[in-house]
Amino acid sequence: MAEKQNENRPVSIPEAQQLVDQWIKTIGVRYFSELTNLAILTEEVGELARIMARTYGDQSFKKEDLGKDLGDEMADVLWVLICLANQTGIDLNEAFLKNMEKKTERDKTRHQNNSKLKS
């Protein structure tokens, strides 16, 4: 299974949810509680923010942050978010598509009419 996960290929959202669930059940023993995973998600978002602030913002890198991979930090956030979705019975594919519809309906002219976004 590890080889399959490391292939450089597109992974659908349902497949990602399935891969995480399989990993948890075979390697991770069990899911952490939902509240623990929420705390971990917050930690992971903080790590992502730290790298973003140093890469694209005004802060300089600290020694311990050198060599951290932005994509890996984003993947950590995605991993824990998928864990939470799996634990709470959320189909992220369905939720994402509904969210896109909501944003499209709500914002179909909002951003086009925003003078702050004009170049």
Side-chain angles (χ1 to χ4, degrees), residues 1-107:
M1 186 172 81
E3 270 183 51
K4 199 174 196 180
Q5 286 181 2
N6 293 327
E7 290 177 13
N8 188 13
R9 63 182 176 79
V11 176
S12 68
I13 295 173
E15 185 181 3
Q17 284 193 253
Q18 199 171 40
L19 286 169
V20 168
D21 191 59
Q22 188 64 33
W23 188 95
I24 294 290
K25 290 175 178 172
T26 59
I27 297 170
V29 181
R30 66 170 180 82
Y31 285 94
F32 296 131
S33 72
E34 294 85 351
L35 287 176
T36 297
N37 273 335
L38 180 61
I40 292 169
L41 179 62
T42 303
E43 290 174 357
E44 296 298 351
V45 169
E47 290 175 18
L48 174 61
R50 183 181 191 111
I51 300 307
M52 291 292 295
R54 282 152 179 75
T55 302
Y56 300 101
D58 300 323
Q59 287 190 323
S60 59
F61 276 89
K62 294 180 180 178
K63 188 190 261 185
E64 63 268 19
D65 293 327
L66 291 172
K68 296 238 176 154
D69 180 80
L70 184 60
D72 187 54
E73 297 301 333
M74 288 182 182
D76 285 342
V77 170
L78 181 59
W79 171 273
V80 182
L81 186 61
I82 289 172
C83 285
L84 284 166
N86 286 351
Q87 289 175 278
T88 58
I90 300 297
D91 177 334
L92 280 174
N93 189 71
E94 182 182 325
F96 177 78
L97 292 173
K98 283 181 181 176
N99 190 270
M100 287 295 298
E101 286 178 22
K102 175 186 78 174
K103 284 175 176 31
T104 300
E105 181 62 32
R106 180 189 67 203
D107 300 331

